[in-house]
Amino acid sequence: MTEPVDPISTLQGLRASIDNIDAALTFMLAERFRCTKAVGALKAEHGLPPSDPAREERQLARLRSLAEQADLDPAFAEKWFNFVVAEVIRHHEAAASATD
């Protein structure tokens, strides 16, 4: 005979996993922005444009493919990417303004 499932314990376990994933995502996103800020400083130092549309297109295609492989909605992945890239470009523009 199987043990009865305790929905509260199951819910708490799932929520603990979600909390851990949220923490990992936060630290990973912070690391991503540390890297992109360094890119922005390098671009500003050498007079390169804050945005690289060709790279953004390649990255978007790559992320959509990864999303499909991960069984994640590619449209959601694209929205997330566009949100992050907009913030990155804002940082790059600020870095460029600081060197003017």
Side-chain angles (χ1 to χ4, degrees), residues 1 3 6 11 18 23-24 40 49 53 55 60 67-68 73-75 85 88 98:
M1 193 163 143
E3 292 287 320
D6 175 11
L11 181 62
I18 290 167
R55 172 161 167 75
L60 183 55
E68 289 173 4
D73 180 3
V85 167
V88 167

Side-chain angles (χ1 to χ4, degrees), residues 9-57:
S9 292
T10 302
L11 181 62
Q12 289 171 337
L14 290 169
R15 285 181 173 166
S17 291
I18 290 167
D19 292 350
N20 288 339
I21 293 165
D22 286 347
L25 287 171
T26 299
F27 280 95
M28 290 176 74
L29 192 56
E31 181 62 22
R32 187 187 195 290
F33 277 111
R34 275 190 283 282
C35 291
T36 60
K37 284 182 179 182
V39 167
L42 184 65
K43 285 180 173 185
E45 181 181 338
H46 296 282
L48 299 170
S51 174
D52 184 346
R55 172 161 167 75
E56 291 163 25
E57 281 299 314

